Amino acid sequence: MRRAYLFLLLSLLISPGILARQLILTDRDAQIVNAELPVVFCAQIPYISLQQLAQIYKVKTWERAEAAKIVIYFPQREIKVTAASAFITVNREIFQIGTPAVKTDLDYYVPAEPFLAILQQHVSLRLRYKYYDGGSSSYLHSCSAVVQPTALPLVTAPEKVNLSNMLFEEKSNGIAIKVQTTQPFSDADLTYFFHGGNGFFLSINRGICDPLVLSRYHPTHSIEMVEAIQDTESVQLRFNLNRHFTSSVVQYDFRTSQIVLSLYLPLNEDIKSKLELAKNEWVIDTIVLDPGHGGKAIGTPGRWGYMHEKDIVLDIVLRLGALLEKRSDLNVVYTRKTDVDIPLWQRAEIANRAGGKLFISLHVDGVNNTSAKGVCLYLLRPGKSKEAIEVAERENAVIQFEEAKDIEKYKGYDDISNILANMVHKAYMEDSERLAEIMSRHISSEVPQKNRGVKQAGFYVLIGAAMPKLLCELGFNSNRSDAKLLNTKKHRQLLAEVLYQSIIEFKEYCDRTVVKQQ
Ligand SMILES: [Zn+2]
């Protein structure tokens, strides 16, 4: 159906009635004087025959009929012409000839003026030509006689076209090429070929286009040219790329009725380093260790001649730090390494300033009930149980030792739910929970103390730290068996090792997740 229509259309375009002239061609470089070259008109544009031109120049041609291509071998220059294409190559350089070349059974025709202008510039500087009106019409009849339907240039009537236009959008990371359609296509209609070179080929099954409308020379700085070829069942688009694209996506967008071809540039150094930075933000590489209390803030006092909380936790932190420091992929930061008190707000600030990726605050609890014992891990969240709230209150009470200007800083700290809703903590809560789960598992299996599990409360020391964070109550100084254990180096070393294993397992989990996202 379409083929028959094309025949009709083109019979009108190349009609003997409107053919009248020939060219008189002189090229002193090639010893050609006043050679006659007949002209045929296609859509009122003068075309010349390539075989006749080759005869005048006495140069060879070679045709690849199955690809509808012809090569003309001028001295030092070979010109390739493809039927239905408005582009030719001269020694691989691409030029536009305005309207497509036409193939008949025996010959190829190109638009005279653009083609001869290219010859003048690139093959023969002394080529001159003029039109001559006295040509006989007998030749013209023989030309039209060889025109066959299968050899016609494929120019499509506007009402048949379903690929109407092509738009180009340059973007910082590549280019989007949008082919406007007037009927829906599916992704299955689109096949393409791209291996990162300078040619991209897209075949649109069921596509009908006017190759003159879709073909472009230098449409954007990324694309040298677009060549559209209408086949019987599809449209072939060939893009000659000016830039080195590394990947591509082609899909049909039903909302805009466009075939969207996206070509991506390699990630540039700037984007790479930003990605690297973003990746580093999530890699657990800096661990902040916070031994509670210090100086005159002794924490829960040691009974039975045992150590105070501040000394137990400092000793465990130093042991844990020594293990972590052995690793080349970790940086360890301490809020204190000696027996000094640091305001709670300042501990978080130390952590933030150091670019901490994990904040661990160590404590030992103490209550009136001497039977209470065991290890408990706390997440920063509004306290749920009375017991958890009381633990936080005991730990927060340490601010009574701080100066008035420091105490000012804790205004509003009691409104934990408000703080959590408005700050970055949410982002880190999931990681904090994961660490708590890992650590709790290690405590259950390796620590000969009761595991009281993971709880939540509003610890001031955790509020300011913008990173995953956990507060560990490593036992009760008010319980004799806990206190006795905590006063042995062996047990403190064991706790340090369990914390170390948990931190490493957590780090490995997080780093793996980061790598996956890249
Ligand atoms: Zn404490």
Side-chain angles (χ1 to χ4, degrees), residues 103-116:
K103 182 183 183 299
T104 65
D105 266 3
L106 303 174
D107 208 344
Y108 288 77
Y109 291 83
V110 287
E113 287 171 52
F115 188 85
L116 292 174

Side-chain angles (χ1 to χ4, degrees), residues 293 309 363-364 395 473:
H293 318 274
E309 175 186 0
H363 291 261
V364 176
E395 297 295 0
E473 295 283 358

Side-chain angles (χ1 to χ4, degrees), residues 13 19 28 46 110 135 145 200 219 236 263 266 270 302 305 312 325 328 368 376 379 383 392 447 465 470 477 484 503:
L13 286 176
L19 304 174
R28 296 196 188 275
V110 287
F200 187 101
Q236 312 292 328
L263 288 164
D270 184 43
I312 296 169
E325 280 175 17
S328 58
N368 291 331
C376 190
L379 296 164
V447 176
L470 208 54
N477 241 359
K484 190 179 174 185
I503 290 168

Side-chain angles (χ1 to χ4, degrees), residues 37-321:
L37 183 59
V39 170
V40 297
F41 282 85
C42 180
Q44 294 182 323
I45 294 163
Y47 273 63
I48 51 171
S49 144
L50 289 180
Q51 294 292 12
Q52 287 168 351
L53 186 72
Q55 276 170 24
I56 289 171
Y57 271 85
K58 298 187 176 68
V59 295
K60 286 183 179 166
T61 60
W62 178 71
E63 188 195 0
R64 245 180 83 214
E66 71 279 11
K69 280 181 196 295
I70 186 167
V71 185
I72 310 133
Y73 298 96
F74 290 97
Q76 269 108 55
R77 295 280 189 280
E78 54 175 71
I79 298 184
K80 281 184 199 162
V81 173
T82 307
S85 169
F87 300 91
I88 64 169
T89 63
V90 180
N91 282 8
R92 297 190 173 194
E93 221 185 320
I94 299 161
F95 296 91
Q96 194 190 32
I97 50 172
T99 49
V102 175
K103 182 183 183 299
T104 65
D105 266 3
L106 303 174
D107 208 344
Y108 288 77
Y109 291 83
V110 287
E113 287 171 52
F115 188 85
L116 292 174
I118 292 164
L119 274 193
Q120 278 177 327
Q121 285 164 31
H122 301 277
V123 178
S124 209
L125 295 175
R126 295 172 74 189
L127 163 65
R128 300 289 179 268
Y129 64 89
K130 60 184 178 188
Y131 289 103
Y132 176 63
D133 270 334
S136 73
S137 59
S138 61
Y139 175 79
L140 304 173
H141 281 296
S142 67
C143 176
S144 65
V146 301
V147 173
Q148 301 293 326
T150 51
L152 291 169
L154 295 152
V155 179
T156 316
E159 63 268 28
K160 284 269 177 177
V161 161
N162 59 21
L163 307 174
S164 57
N165 197 11
M166 202 182 310
L167 308 160
F168 302 85
E169 288 173 17
E170 292 274 359
K171 303 192 169 173
S172 64
N173 64 337
I175 185 169
I177 302 160
K178 298 175 175 177
V179 181
Q180 193 64 49
T181 69
T182 54
Q183 72 176 56
F185 286 81
S186 76
D187 287 347
D189 290 320
L190 311 172
T191 50
Y192 59 100
F193 175 80
F194 179 58
H195 280 314
N198 65 356
F200 187 101
F201 302 86
L202 171 63
S203 170
I204 304 166
N205 185 40
R206 302 187 295 114
I208 307 171
C209 77
D210 186 335
L212 296 185
V213 172
L214 292 195
S215 295
R216 310 274 172 86
Y217 186 69
H218 228 274
T220 75
H221 75 272
S222 289
I223 300 196
E224 174 77 21
M225 68 153 213
V226 184
E227 184 180 344
I229 295 174
Q230 177 70 62
D231 281 349
T232 48
E233 300 300 329
S234 64
V235 164
Q236 312 292 328
L237 294 176
R238 176 199 160 135
F239 299 86
N240 269 33
L241 309 174
N242 262 344
R243 304 177 76 181
H244 177 63
F245 295 99
T246 47
S247 58
S248 60
V249 176
V250 176
Q251 53 198 7
Y252 187 73
D253 185 340
F254 284 92
R255 293 167 302 132
T256 58
S257 303
Q258 288 172 330
I259 295 164
V260 182
L261 156 57
S262 305
L263 288 164
Y264 298 102
L265 291 166
L267 293 175
N268 67 30
E269 288 311 309
D270 184 43
I271 296 171
K272 260 188 198 164
S273 65
K274 273 181 194 157
L275 264 183
E276 198 56 35
L277 269 181
K279 180 179 156 186
N280 285 343
E281 256 171 52
W282 294 96
V283 168
I284 307 296
D285 56 3
T286 300
I287 314 284
V288 184
L289 301 179
D290 174 49
H293 318 274
K296 63 191 172 203
I298 60 168
T300 51
R303 294 162 76 178
W304 312 290
Y306 291 145
M307 295 158 78
H308 298 315
E309 175 186 0
K310 64 167 186 172
D311 298 319
I312 296 169
V313 293
L314 179 60
D315 181 79
I316 295 170
V317 155
L318 294 176
R319 290 170 189 274
L320 170 58

